[in-house]
Amino acid sequence: SNGVRIDHPWWLKGGGNFHYPYFFEAIKKYGKPHYNRAFEWCAGHGFIGWELLTNNYCNELTFSDIYPPAIETCKKNADTLGYTSKVTTYLTGTLSKIPEAERWDLVVGNPPNSEDADGFAQHNHHFQNQPPELVEMANRITVDQGWQAHRDFFKEIKKHLNKDADIFLSMHSTVFVSMKSIYQPENFELVSVTDMIPWDPDLKVAHFKYIE
C-alpha cells in the first residue's frame, strides 16, 4: 500500500494481498498504535507482515511457514528490501520448533480455514478435474486437516507472547463454535471480530488475547 514492492511466485498467494486492509482495520480499532516485534504465522508470501513492517507498525518481524518456497521468498525479499537485520524466518509447521527465546507483541495469520480436504473439494467445484499440482496447492493453502495446525498454534504460541500481546487471525464465523474447544482450554479469549471481504461474509478477523 505504500509503494514498496515484494517479489513472489503467484502460487504463494493465499489471500493476504487483499486481506491485509481488514487486518489493519482490526489492529487500528482493537490493537495498539505500534508494536516492537510481530510474527506472521502461515506466512506464505508474507504480504500482511510486510505491510506491518514497511508501514512502521512494528520494528521487527518473524515469518514462519511449512512450505519451503514461502520462506525462501520471505528471505529473498528481506535481502532485497534491506530488512535482513529486522526479519527472522522459520521453516516449520509447528511452533514447538521455534526457539522459546522468540517473543512477540503482535501475531497475525491467514491460516487455512477449512478442516476437511474432501469437504473442501466438494464445495469448491472449480478445483475439480484440475491438474494434481493445482489441487495440491489449493489444499495446502486452504485445508488444515482436523485443525491440527490450529491446535498446535494455540498450544505453543503462549510461550512466545510478551505481556498483553495481540493475536489477529482470519477465521470463518462458521467454525467459531468448534474453534472455541481448541483455544479456550489454552486460556485464550476471543475479544473482538472484524468483518472482512464482502464476497465472503463468513470470513472475519478474529482477535485473541491470552488470559494469564
mmCIF file of all heavy atoms in Angstrom, residues 134-178:
data_model
loop_
_atom_site.group_PDB
_atom_site.id
_atom_site.type_symbol
_atom_site.label_atom_id
_atom_site.label_comp_id
_atom_site.label_asym_id
_atom_site.label_seq_id
_atom_site.Cartn_x
_atom_site.Cartn_y
_atom_site.Cartn_z
ATOM 1 N N LEU A 134 -2.402 -28.238 -9.043
ATOM 2 C CA LEU A 134 -3.289 -27.140 -8.661
ATOM 3 C C LEU A 134 -4.143 -27.542 -7.461
ATOM 4 O O LEU A 134 -4.366 -26.738 -6.557
ATOM 5 C CB LEU A 134 -4.181 -26.744 -9.834
ATOM 6 C CG LEU A 134 -5.110 -25.546 -9.600
ATOM 7 C CD1 LEU A 134 -4.306 -24.304 -9.241
ATOM 8 C CD2 LEU A 134 -5.976 -25.286 -10.828
ATOM 9 N N VAL A 135 -4.592 -28.778 -7.440
ATOM 10 C CA VAL A 135 -5.371 -29.281 -6.308
ATOM 11 C C VAL A 135 -4.504 -29.313 -5.050
ATOM 12 O O VAL A 135 -4.947 -28.934 -3.959
ATOM 13 C CB VAL A 135 -5.925 -30.688 -6.609
ATOM 14 C CG1 VAL A 135 -6.645 -31.253 -5.387
ATOM 15 C CG2 VAL A 135 -6.882 -30.635 -7.797
ATOM 16 N N GLU A 136 -3.241 -29.745 -5.191
ATOM 17 C CA GLU A 136 -2.320 -29.771 -4.049
ATOM 18 C C GLU A 136 -2.114 -28.371 -3.502
ATOM 19 O O GLU A 136 -2.096 -28.156 -2.287
ATOM 20 C CB GLU A 136 -0.985 -30.384 -4.477
ATOM 21 C CG GLU A 136 0.012 -30.616 -3.355
ATOM 22 C CD GLU A 136 0.789 -29.363 -2.957
ATOM 23 O OE1 GLU A 136 1.006 -28.492 -3.838
ATOM 24 O OE2 GLU A 136 1.173 -29.240 -1.779
ATOM 25 N N MET A 137 -1.948 -27.405 -4.404
ATOM 26 C CA MET A 137 -1.764 -26.028 -3.971
ATOM 27 C C MET A 137 -2.984 -25.530 -3.204
ATOM 28 O O MET A 137 -2.862 -24.917 -2.133
ATOM 29 C CB MET A 137 -1.504 -25.131 -5.178
ATOM 30 C CG MET A 137 -1.307 -23.662 -4.824
ATOM 31 S SD MET A 137 -1.523 -22.557 -6.227
ATOM 32 C CE MET A 137 -3.305 -22.569 -6.410
ATOM 33 N N ALA A 138 -4.173 -25.810 -3.742
ATOM 34 C CA ALA A 138 -5.405 -25.356 -3.092
ATOM 35 C C ALA A 138 -5.554 -25.975 -1.713
ATOM 36 O O ALA A 138 -5.911 -25.284 -0.746
ATOM 37 C CB ALA A 138 -6.612 -25.707 -3.966
ATOM 38 N N ASN A 139 -5.261 -27.265 -1.596
ATOM 39 C CA ASN A 139 -5.363 -27.930 -0.296
ATOM 40 C C ASN A 139 -4.349 -27.380 0.687
ATOM 41 O O ASN A 139 -4.652 -27.183 1.873
ATOM 42 C CB ASN A 139 -5.170 -29.440 -0.462
ATOM 43 C CG ASN A 139 -6.376 -30.128 -1.059
ATOM 44 O OD1 ASN A 139 -7.494 -29.625 -0.953
ATOM 45 N ND2 ASN A 139 -6.174 -31.263 -1.688
ATOM 46 N N ARG A 140 -3.131 -27.132 0.222
ATOM 47 C CA ARG A 140 -2.082 -26.623 1.110
ATOM 48 C C ARG A 140 -2.465 -25.261 1.674
ATOM 49 O O ARG A 140 -2.222 -24.966 2.847
ATOM 50 C CB ARG A 140 -0.752 -26.528 0.346
ATOM 51 C CG ARG A 140 0.374 -25.860 1.123
ATOM 52 C CD ARG A 140 1.685 -25.901 0.353
ATOM 53 N NE ARG A 140 1.553 -25.457 -1.015
ATOM 54 C CZ ARG A 140 1.497 -24.185 -1.388
ATOM 55 N NH1 ARG A 140 1.528 -23.221 -0.480
ATOM 56 N NH2 ARG A 140 1.401 -23.850 -2.661
ATOM 57 N N ILE A 141 -3.079 -24.427 0.853
ATOM 58 C CA ILE A 141 -3.411 -23.070 1.262
ATOM 59 C C ILE A 141 -4.682 -23.016 2.104
ATOM 60 O O ILE A 141 -4.804 -22.184 3.003
ATOM 61 C CB ILE A 141 -3.552 -22.163 0.019
ATOM 62 C CG1 ILE A 141 -2.184 -21.960 -0.632
ATOM 63 C CG2 ILE A 141 -4.173 -20.821 0.369
ATOM 64 C CD1 ILE A 141 -2.239 -21.198 -1.935
ATOM 65 N N THR A 142 -5.621 -23.926 1.847
ATOM 66 C CA THR A 142 -6.950 -23.758 2.429
ATOM 67 C C THR A 142 -7.361 -24.809 3.446
ATOM 68 O O THR A 142 -8.339 -24.602 4.161
ATOM 69 C CB THR A 142 -8.020 -23.740 1.317
ATOM 70 O OG1 THR A 142 -7.932 -24.970 0.579
ATOM 71 C CG2 THR A 142 -7.808 -22.583 0.363
ATOM 72 N N VAL A 143 -6.650 -25.951 3.530
ATOM 73 C CA VAL A 143 -7.111 -27.046 4.385
ATOM 74 C C VAL A 143 -6.148 -27.298 5.548
ATOM 75 O O VAL A 143 -4.947 -27.508 5.348
ATOM 76 C CB VAL A 143 -7.285 -28.352 3.574
ATOM 77 C CG1 VAL A 143 -7.708 -29.494 4.494
ATOM 78 C CG2 VAL A 143 -8.304 -28.158 2.459
ATOM 79 N N ASP A 144 -6.681 -27.250 6.755
ATOM 80 C CA ASP A 144 -5.968 -27.650 7.975
ATOM 81 C C ASP A 144 -6.688 -28.892 8.499
ATOM 82 O O ASP A 144 -7.630 -28.795 9.276
ATOM 83 C CB ASP A 144 -5.983 -26.518 9.001
ATOM 84 C CG ASP A 144 -5.335 -26.917 10.326
ATOM 85 O OD1 ASP A 144 -4.635 -27.951 10.355
ATOM 86 O OD2 ASP A 144 -5.534 -26.193 11.323
ATOM 87 N N GLN A 145 -6.229 -30.053 8.051
ATOM 88 C CA GLN A 145 -6.935 -31.297 8.331
ATOM 89 C C GLN A 145 -7.072 -31.531 9.837
ATOM 90 O O GLN A 145 -6.087 -31.577 10.569
ATOM 91 C CB GLN A 145 -6.194 -32.485 7.702
ATOM 92 C CG GLN A 145 -6.969 -33.782 7.691
ATOM 93 C CD GLN A 145 -8.161 -33.740 6.738
ATOM 94 O OE1 GLN A 145 -8.102 -33.137 5.674
ATOM 95 N NE2 GLN A 145 -9.243 -34.396 7.128
ATOM 96 N N GLY A 146 -8.327 -31.664 10.288
ATOM 97 C CA GLY A 146 -8.589 -31.896 11.698
ATOM 98 C C GLY A 146 -8.172 -30.755 12.609
ATOM 99 O O GLY A 146 -8.072 -30.922 13.824
ATOM 100 N N TRP A 147 -7.941 -29.569 12.023
ATOM 101 C CA TRP A 147 -7.498 -28.379 12.774
ATOM 102 C C TRP A 147 -6.180 -28.638 13.524
ATOM 103 O O TRP A 147 -5.918 -28.018 14.554
ATOM 104 C CB TRP A 147 -8.558 -27.894 13.762
ATOM 105 C CG TRP A 147 -9.839 -27.438 13.154
ATOM 106 C CD1 TRP A 147 -11.087 -27.848 13.505
ATOM 107 C CD2 TRP A 147 -10.028 -26.481 12.098
ATOM 108 N NE1 TRP A 147 -12.040 -27.218 12.749
ATOM 109 C CE2 TRP A 147 -11.430 -26.370 11.873
ATOM 110 C CE3 TRP A 147 -9.167 -25.712 11.323
ATOM 111 C CZ2 TRP A 147 -11.979 -25.520 10.904
ATOM 112 C CZ3 TRP A 147 -9.708 -24.873 10.350
ATOM 113 C CH2 TRP A 147 -11.083 -24.786 10.159
ATOM 114 N N GLN A 148 -5.328 -29.505 12.984
ATOM 115 C CA GLN A 148 -4.087 -29.817 13.686
ATOM 116 C C GLN A 148 -3.168 -28.612 13.816
ATOM 117 O O GLN A 148 -2.527 -28.408 14.856
ATOM 118 C CB GLN A 148 -3.361 -30.978 12.992
ATOM 119 C CG GLN A 148 -4.002 -32.334 13.220
ATOM 120 C CD GLN A 148 -4.159 -32.642 14.701
ATOM 121 O OE1 GLN A 148 -3.212 -32.572 15.477
ATOM 122 N NE2 GLN A 148 -5.380 -32.986 15.113
ATOM 123 N N ALA A 149 -3.057 -27.799 12.758
ATOM 124 C CA ALA A 149 -2.193 -26.616 12.831
ATOM 125 C C ALA A 149 -2.726 -25.616 13.847
ATOM 126 O O ALA A 149 -1.958 -25.000 14.600
ATOM 127 C CB ALA A 149 -2.069 -25.970 11.457
ATOM 128 N N HIS A 150 -4.045 -25.443 13.887
ATOM 129 C CA HIS A 150 -4.643 -24.533 14.868
ATOM 130 C C HIS A 150 -4.443 -25.045 16.295
ATOM 131 O O HIS A 150 -4.168 -24.251 17.216
ATOM 132 C CB HIS A 150 -6.133 -24.349 14.588
ATOM 133 C CG HIS A 150 -6.445 -23.445 13.442
ATOM 134 N ND1 HIS A 150 -6.340 -23.865 12.126
ATOM 135 C CD2 HIS A 150 -6.852 -22.149 13.412
ATOM 136 C CE1 HIS A 150 -6.677 -22.854 11.325
ATOM 137 N NE2 HIS A 150 -7.002 -21.807 12.078
ATOM 138 N N ARG A 151 -4.580 -26.347 16.489
ATOM 139 C CA ARG A 151 -4.355 -26.925 17.817
ATOM 140 C C ARG A 151 -2.927 -26.672 18.281
ATOM 141 O O ARG A 151 -2.691 -26.283 19.435
ATOM 142 C CB ARG A 151 -4.652 -28.429 17.802
ATOM 143 C CG ARG A 151 -6.106 -28.778 17.546
ATOM 144 C CD ARG A 151 -6.329 -30.282 17.506
ATOM 145 N NE ARG A 151 -7.655 -30.595 16.986
ATOM 146 C CZ ARG A 151 -8.764 -30.558 17.711
ATOM 147 N NH1 ARG A 151 -8.696 -30.247 18.998
ATOM 148 N NH2 ARG A 151 -9.937 -30.848 17.171
ATOM 149 N N ASP A 152 -1.985 -26.899 17.394
ATOM 150 C CA ASP A 152 -0.579 -26.667 17.719
ATOM 151 C C ASP A 152 -0.341 -25.184 18.009
ATOM 152 O O ASP A 152 0.374 -24.834 18.953
ATOM 153 C CB ASP A 152 0.314 -27.128 16.572
ATOM 154 C CG ASP A 152 1.768 -26.765 16.797
ATOM 155 O OD1 ASP A 152 2.462 -27.519 17.513
ATOM 156 O OD2 ASP A 152 2.222 -25.726 16.260
ATOM 157 N N PHE A 153 -0.957 -24.321 17.199
ATOM 158 C CA PHE A 153 -0.755 -22.885 17.367
ATOM 159 C C PHE A 153 -1.168 -22.432 18.764
ATOM 160 O O PHE A 153 -0.375 -21.787 19.484
ATOM 161 C CB PHE A 153 -1.548 -22.122 16.306
ATOM 162 C CG PHE A 153 -1.505 -20.629 16.470
ATOM 163 C CD1 PHE A 153 -0.452 -19.892 15.970
ATOM 164 C CD2 PHE A 153 -2.519 -19.958 17.147
ATOM 165 C CE1 PHE A 153 -0.397 -18.509 16.141
ATOM 166 C CE2 PHE A 153 -2.487 -18.584 17.315
ATOM 167 C CZ PHE A 153 -1.415 -17.865 16.816
ATOM 168 N N PHE A 154 -2.400 -22.728 19.170
ATOM 169 C CA PHE A 154 -2.876 -22.237 20.461
ATOM 170 C C PHE A 154 -2.171 -22.921 21.635
ATOM 171 O O PHE A 154 -2.064 -22.336 22.718
ATOM 172 C CB PHE A 154 -4.387 -22.400 20.555
ATOM 173 C CG PHE A 154 -5.143 -21.372 19.778
ATOM 174 C CD1 PHE A 154 -5.776 -21.704 18.592
ATOM 175 C CD2 PHE A 154 -5.201 -20.059 20.214
ATOM 176 C CE1 PHE A 154 -6.470 -20.748 17.856
ATOM 177 C CE2 PHE A 154 -5.884 -19.091 19.497
ATOM 178 C CZ PHE A 154 -6.520 -19.439 18.308
ATOM 179 N N LYS A 155 -1.672 -24.122 21.420
ATOM 180 C CA LYS A 155 -0.927 -24.804 22.475
ATOM 181 C C LYS A 155 0.453 -24.174 22.671
ATOM 182 O O LYS A 155 0.924 -24.009 23.802
ATOM 183 C CB LYS A 155 -0.776 -26.282 22.141
ATOM 184 C CG LYS A 155 0.029 -27.069 23.164
ATOM 185 C CD LYS A 155 0.169 -28.530 22.755
ATOM 186 C CE LYS A 155 1.019 -29.303 23.759
ATOM 187 N NZ LYS A 155 1.199 -30.726 23.346
ATOM 188 N N GLU A 156 1.115 -23.808 21.558
ATOM 189 C CA GLU A 156 2.514 -23.393 21.611
ATOM 190 C C GLU A 156 2.734 -21.886 21.639
ATOM 191 O O GLU A 156 3.757 -21.424 22.131
ATOM 192 C CB GLU A 156 3.270 -23.984 20.407
ATOM 193 C CG GLU A 156 3.257 -25.500 20.331
ATOM 194 C CD GLU A 156 4.072 -26.158 21.435
ATOM 195 O OE1 GLU A 156 4.924 -25.475 22.040
ATOM 196 O OE2 GLU A 156 3.850 -27.356 21.695
ATOM 197 N N ILE A 157 1.791 -21.104 21.107
ATOM 198 C CA ILE A 157 2.064 -19.678 20.918
ATOM 199 C C ILE A 157 2.213 -18.920 22.226
ATOM 200 O O ILE A 157 2.955 -17.938 22.315
ATOM 201 C CB ILE A 157 0.959 -19.020 20.044
ATOM 202 C CG1 ILE A 157 1.362 -17.612 19.604
ATOM 203 C CG2 ILE A 157 -0.373 -18.990 20.785
ATOM 204 C CD1 ILE A 157 2.557 -17.559 18.712
ATOM 205 N N LYS A 158 1.546 -19.375 23.296
ATOM 206 C CA LYS A 158 1.542 -18.590 24.538
ATOM 207 C C LYS A 158 2.933 -18.413 25.125
ATOM 208 O O LYS A 158 3.217 -17.386 25.758
ATOM 209 C CB LYS A 158 0.597 -19.203 25.559
ATOM 210 C CG LYS A 158 0.784 -20.670 25.814
ATOM 211 C CD LYS A 158 -0.404 -21.238 26.596
ATOM 212 C CE LYS A 158 -0.356 -22.729 26.689
ATOM 213 N NZ LYS A 158 -1.570 -23.295 27.316
ATOM 214 N N LYS A 159 3.819 -19.377 24.921
ATOM 215 C CA LYS A 159 5.184 -19.253 25.455
ATOM 216 C C LYS A 159 6.011 -18.217 24.685
ATOM 217 O O LYS A 159 7.083 -17.826 25.128
ATOM 218 C CB LYS A 159 5.888 -20.604 25.422
ATOM 219 C CG LYS A 159 6.244 -21.110 24.046
ATOM 220 C CD LYS A 159 6.986 -22.442 24.075
ATOM 221 C CE LYS A 159 6.037 -23.585 24.217
ATOM 222 N NZ LYS A 159 6.708 -24.904 24.007
ATOM 223 N N HIS A 160 5.470 -17.761 23.533
ATOM 224 C CA HIS A 160 6.186 -16.780 22.708
ATOM 225 C C HIS A 160 5.583 -15.377 22.817
ATOM 226 O O HIS A 160 6.028 -14.472 22.115
ATOM 227 C CB HIS A 160 6.159 -17.214 21.246
ATOM 228 C CG HIS A 160 6.893 -18.489 20.970
ATOM 229 N ND1 HIS A 160 8.273 -18.582 21.018
ATOM 230 C CD2 HIS A 160 6.440 -19.729 20.646
ATOM 231 C CE1 HIS A 160 8.632 -19.821 20.728
ATOM 232 N NE2 HIS A 160 7.544 -20.533 20.509
ATOM 233 N N LEU A 161 4.590 -15.196 23.663
ATOM 234 C CA LEU A 161 3.903 -13.917 23.741
ATOM 235 C C LEU A 161 4.443 -13.042 24.862
ATOM 236 O O LEU A 161 4.582 -13.495 25.997
ATOM 237 C CB LEU A 161 2.404 -14.138 23.964
ATOM 238 C CG LEU A 161 1.642 -14.903 22.878
ATOM 239 C CD1 LEU A 161 0.191 -15.094 23.309
ATOM 240 C CD2 LEU A 161 1.727 -14.181 21.543
ATOM 241 N N ASN A 162 4.728 -11.799 24.527
ATOM 242 C CA ASN A 162 5.004 -10.827 25.569
ATOM 243 C C ASN A 162 3.688 -10.429 26.246
ATOM 244 O O ASN A 162 2.601 -10.713 25.730
ATOM 245 C CB ASN A 162 5.688 -9.588 24.974
ATOM 246 C CG ASN A 162 7.132 -9.861 24.616
ATOM 247 O OD1 ASN A 162 7.839 -10.613 25.298
ATOM 248 N ND2 ASN A 162 7.604 -9.270 23.522
ATOM 249 N N LYS A 163 3.799 -9.798 27.382
ATOM 250 C CA LYS A 163 2.613 -9.425 28.153
ATOM 251 C C LYS A 163 1.690 -8.543 27.321
ATOM 252 O O LYS A 163 2.139 -7.607 26.653
ATOM 253 C CB LYS A 163 3.029 -8.695 29.434
ATOM 254 C CG LYS A 163 1.885 -8.452 30.396
ATOM 255 C CD LYS A 163 2.401 -7.830 31.684
ATOM 256 C CE LYS A 163 1.279 -7.564 32.675
ATOM 257 N NZ LYS A 163 0.568 -8.787 33.080
ATOM 258 N N ASP A 164 0.392 -8.849 27.354
ATOM 259 C CA ASP A 164 -0.645 -8.083 26.675
ATOM 260 C C ASP A 164 -0.494 -8.122 25.147
ATOM 261 O O ASP A 164 -0.877 -7.179 24.452
ATOM 262 C CB ASP A 164 -0.663 -6.629 27.159
ATOM 263 C CG ASP A 164 -1.969 -5.923 26.811
ATOM 264 O OD1 ASP A 164 -3.020 -6.583 26.801
ATOM 265 O OD2 ASP A 164 -1.917 -4.711 26.516
ATOM 266 N N ALA A 165 0.054 -9.199 24.626
ATOM 267 C CA ALA A 165 0.199 -9.339 23.174
ATOM 268 C C ALA A 165 -1.160 -9.505 22.511
ATOM 269 O O ALA A 165 -2.125 -9.973 23.123
ATOM 270 C CB ALA A 165 1.085 -10.534 22.852
ATOM 271 N N ASP A 166 -1.239 -9.118 21.246
ATOM 272 C CA ASP A 166 -2.462 -9.246 20.452
ATOM 273 C C ASP A 166 -2.269 -10.285 19.359
ATOM 274 O O ASP A 166 -1.210 -10.348 18.721
ATOM 275 C CB ASP A 166 -2.819 -7.903 19.801
ATOM 276 C CG ASP A 166 -3.247 -6.862 20.811
ATOM 277 O OD1 ASP A 166 -4.247 -7.103 21.508
ATOM 278 O OD2 ASP A 166 -2.579 -5.812 20.902
ATOM 279 N N ILE A 167 -3.308 -11.093 19.121
ATOM 280 C CA ILE A 167 -3.315 -12.075 18.043
ATOM 281 C C ILE A 167 -4.503 -11.778 17.141
ATOM 282 O O ILE A 167 -5.641 -11.682 17.604
ATOM 283 C CB ILE A 167 -3.431 -13.506 18.586
ATOM 284 C CG1 ILE A 167 -2.227 -13.854 19.462
ATOM 285 C CG2 ILE A 167 -3.545 -14.510 17.435
ATOM 286 C CD1 ILE A 167 -2.329 -15.227 20.121
ATOM 287 N N PHE A 168 -4.232 -11.630 15.835
ATOM 288 C CA PHE A 168 -5.290 -11.401 14.856
ATOM 289 C C PHE A 168 -5.181 -12.469 13.771
ATOM 290 O O PHE A 168 -4.177 -12.532 13.054
ATOM 291 C CB PHE A 168 -5.157 -10.011 14.222
ATOM 292 C CG PHE A 168 -5.407 -8.871 15.169
ATOM 293 C CD1 PHE A 168 -4.355 -8.305 15.892
ATOM 294 C CD2 PHE A 168 -6.691 -8.353 15.342
ATOM 295 C CE1 PHE A 168 -4.575 -7.246 16.764
ATOM 296 C CE2 PHE A 168 -6.915 -7.298 16.210
ATOM 297 C CZ PHE A 168 -5.860 -6.737 16.932
ATOM 298 N N LEU A 169 -6.219 -13.304 13.649
ATOM 299 C CA LEU A 169 -6.229 -14.392 12.674
ATOM 300 C C LEU A 169 -7.477 -14.320 11.805
ATOM 301 O O LEU A 169 -8.560 -13.994 12.294
ATOM 302 C CB LEU A 169 -6.225 -15.755 13.377
ATOM 303 C CG LEU A 169 -5.110 -16.067 14.374
ATOM 304 C CD1 LEU A 169 -5.339 -17.453 14.977
ATOM 305 C CD2 LEU A 169 -3.742 -15.986 13.708
ATOM 306 N N SER A 170 -7.327 -14.642 10.535
ATOM 307 C CA SER A 170 -8.512 -14.813 9.705
ATOM 308 C C SER A 170 -9.203 -16.105 10.115
ATOM 309 O O SER A 170 -8.558 -17.109 10.415
ATOM 310 C CB SER A 170 -8.134 -14.858 8.219
ATOM 311 O OG SER A 170 -7.340 -15.992 7.944
ATOM 312 N N MET A 171 -10.541 -16.069 10.148
ATOM 313 C CA MET A 171 -11.285 -17.245 10.602
ATOM 314 C C MET A 171 -12.733 -17.145 10.122
ATOM 315 O O MET A 171 -13.329 -16.066 10.145
ATOM 316 C CB MET A 171 -11.247 -17.334 12.131
ATOM 317 C CG MET A 171 -11.821 -18.605 12.709
ATOM 318 S SD MET A 171 -11.546 -18.689 14.515
ATOM 319 C CE MET A 171 -9.752 -18.830 14.587
ATOM 320 N N HIS A 172 -13.283 -18.273 9.692
ATOM 321 C CA HIS A 172 -14.684 -18.303 9.283
ATOM 322 C C HIS A 172 -15.587 -18.338 10.519
ATOM 323 O O HIS A 172 -15.354 -19.117 11.440
ATOM 324 C CB HIS A 172 -14.957 -19.509 8.397
ATOM 325 C CG HIS A 172 -14.636 -19.265 6.954
ATOM 326 N ND1 HIS A 172 -15.515 -18.653 6.087
ATOM 327 C CD2 HIS A 172 -13.530 -19.542 6.225
ATOM 328 C CE1 HIS A 172 -14.968 -18.567 4.889
ATOM 329 N NE2 HIS A 172 -13.767 -19.094 4.944
ATOM 330 N N SER A 173 -16.600 -17.511 10.505
ATOM 331 C CA SER A 173 -17.532 -17.480 11.635
ATOM 332 C C SER A 173 -18.236 -18.816 11.804
ATOM 333 O O SER A 173 -18.699 -19.140 12.893
ATOM 334 C CB SER A 173 -18.556 -16.364 11.441
ATOM 335 O OG SER A 173 -19.286 -16.542 10.240
ATOM 336 N N THR A 174 -18.299 -19.611 10.730
ATOM 337 C CA THR A 174 -18.958 -20.914 10.800
ATOM 338 C C THR A 174 -18.208 -21.903 11.691
ATOM 339 O O THR A 174 -18.778 -22.926 12.081
ATOM 340 C CB THR A 174 -19.099 -21.518 9.392
ATOM 341 O OG1 THR A 174 -17.807 -21.543 8.759
ATOM 342 C CG2 THR A 174 -20.041 -20.690 8.540
ATOM 343 N N VAL A 175 -16.938 -21.616 12.004
ATOM 344 C CA VAL A 175 -16.159 -22.544 12.840
ATOM 345 C C VAL A 175 -15.861 -21.959 14.217
ATOM 346 O O VAL A 175 -15.122 -22.554 14.994
ATOM 347 C CB VAL A 175 -14.836 -22.970 12.145
ATOM 348 C CG1 VAL A 175 -15.123 -23.578 10.791
ATOM 349 C CG2 VAL A 175 -13.857 -21.814 12.042
ATOM 350 N N PHE A 176 -16.426 -20.793 14.530
ATOM 351 C CA PHE A 176 -16.142 -20.180 15.825
ATOM 352 C C PHE A 176 -16.482 -21.107 16.990
ATOM 353 O O PHE A 176 -15.745 -21.180 17.968
ATOM 354 C CB PHE A 176 -16.905 -18.862 15.975
ATOM 355 C CG PHE A 176 -16.235 -17.683 15.320
ATOM 356 C CD1 PHE A 176 -15.108 -17.843 14.528
ATOM 357 C CD2 PHE A 176 -16.728 -16.403 15.491
ATOM 358 C CE1 PHE A 176 -14.491 -16.759 13.923
ATOM 359 C CE2 PHE A 176 -16.120 -15.307 14.890
ATOM 360 C CZ PHE A 176 -15.001 -15.491 14.101
ATOM 361 N N VAL A 177 -17.604 -21.808 16.892
ATOM 362 C CA VAL A 177 -18.028 -22.670 17.994
ATOM 363 C C VAL A 177 -17.065 -23.831 18.170
ATOM 364 O O VAL A 177 -16.587 -24.115 19.280
ATOM 365 C CB VAL A 177 -19.464 -23.187 17.773
ATOM 366 C CG1 VAL A 177 -19.822 -24.212 18.846
ATOM 367 C CG2 VAL A 177 -20.456 -22.025 17.800
ATOM 368 N N SER A 178 -16.726 -24.523 17.078
ATOM 369 C CA SER A 178 -15.794 -25.653 17.179
ATOM 370 C C SER A 178 -14.393 -25.192 17.548
ATOM 371 O O SER A 178 -13.665 -25.885 18.269
ATOM 372 C CB SER A 178 -15.762 -26.441 15.864
ATOM 373 O OG SER A 178 -15.355 -25.618 14.785
#
